[in-house]
Amino acid sequence: MRFEEQLLMDLQAEMTARNDRARRTGRRLFAGAAVAGLAAVAAVTVPLVTSPEPAYAVSANANGTVTVEIKEFRDAEQLEQDLKDHGVTADVTYLKPYTKCQNGRGALVGGGYDTPEEWRASVHWKVARPGAKGFVIDPRQVGKGQTVLLEFTENPKGPVKSQLKAEVIQGAVAACVPEKDPTQVG
């Protein structure tokens, strides 16, 4: 069973438990709720606004982490530079709705992950976590010669408007080859 499939099953179980607590009289299926679980790959609700404001904000935290708040999917190269200024080598990709980058963009640090347990024990889970505003990157999880791969996908029709996939790659990072993402609602 793939990690995404297990994550989807875990989310469905959690949503069912929440619904049962909220409504003792019956159950109701929420089509699309499963998409929110896939966003746990590092889900972040990203407000997409069109304005002359900066597309994102990067700030250092007292504990050594870096908070990134994405406001608009643009200026990926500048975000990469700003993260580098904060000690994080990153490859940022903004994808069109309902797409993802093909797997295999580089050698995953610590190898792959097939189960939720393997995912939670991996550096990929630890490197980028949802925060109060946007997401938080922990530069201590990124070693010399490693790159944080950040892939943002817009999901305008789903319960979560965007999702983030974060992985740590050792060595060279291949270019993103977009493909349809069957896990997204659309």
Side-chain angles (χ1 to χ4, degrees), residues 1 4-23 27-30 32-38 116 120:
M1 178 179 308
E4 291 87 356
E5 293 167 336
Q6 181 64 45
L7 192 56
L8 180 61
M9 289 173 33
D10 290 348
L11 177 65
Q12 288 172 331
E14 174 64 24
M15 292 305 294
T16 299
R18 285 183 187 184
N19 289 339
D20 287 345
R21 286 189 301 266
R23 281 184 243 78
R27 294 183 182 186
R28 181 176 170 201
L29 294 175
F30 287 98
V35 174
L38 293 175
R120 285 185 207 104

Side-chain angles (χ1 to χ4, degrees), residues 4 41-42 101-103 113 149-152 163-167:
E4 291 87 356
V41 172
C101 294
Q102 284 183 348
N103 291 332
Y113 46 87
L149 195 64
L150 300 170
E151 298 173 0
F152 297 89
Q163 47 188 65
L164 164 66
K165 176 182 178 183
E167 293 180 322

Side-chain angles (χ1 to χ4, degrees), residues 58-77:
V58 177
S59 57
N61 301 314
N63 65 358
T65 62
V66 178
T67 296
V68 180
E69 181 181 2
I70 303 294
K71 299 174 185 175
E72 192 173 348
F73 287 160
R74 62 180 170 86
D75 300 338
E77 289 178 6

Side-chain angles (χ1 to χ4, degrees), residues 69-147:
E69 181 181 2
I70 303 294
K71 299 174 185 175
E72 192 173 348
F73 287 160
R74 62 180 170 86
D75 300 338
E77 289 178 6
Q78 186 60 50
L79 176 55
E80 290 173 2
Q81 182 58 53
D82 289 348
L83 287 170
K84 190 172 203 161
D85 292 345
H86 284 84
V88 179
T89 301
D91 182 293
V92 178
T93 303
Y94 295 131
L95 293 150
K96 292 182 179 179
Y98 319 115
T99 62
K100 66 176 186 164
C101 294
Q102 284 183 348
N103 291 332
R105 292 187 60 196
L108 294 175
V109 171
Y113 46 87
D114 293 322
T115 67
E117 293 79 19
E118 289 174 346
W119 169 249
R120 285 185 207 104
S122 74
V123 67
H124 315 291
W125 185 79
K126 297 172 188 172
V127 75
R129 307 287 304 138
K133 287 186 171 185
F135 62 98
V136 178
I137 295 177
D138 187 347
R140 296 167 293 209
Q141 300 296 324
V142 186
K144 186 176 177 104
Q146 297 176 352
T147 301

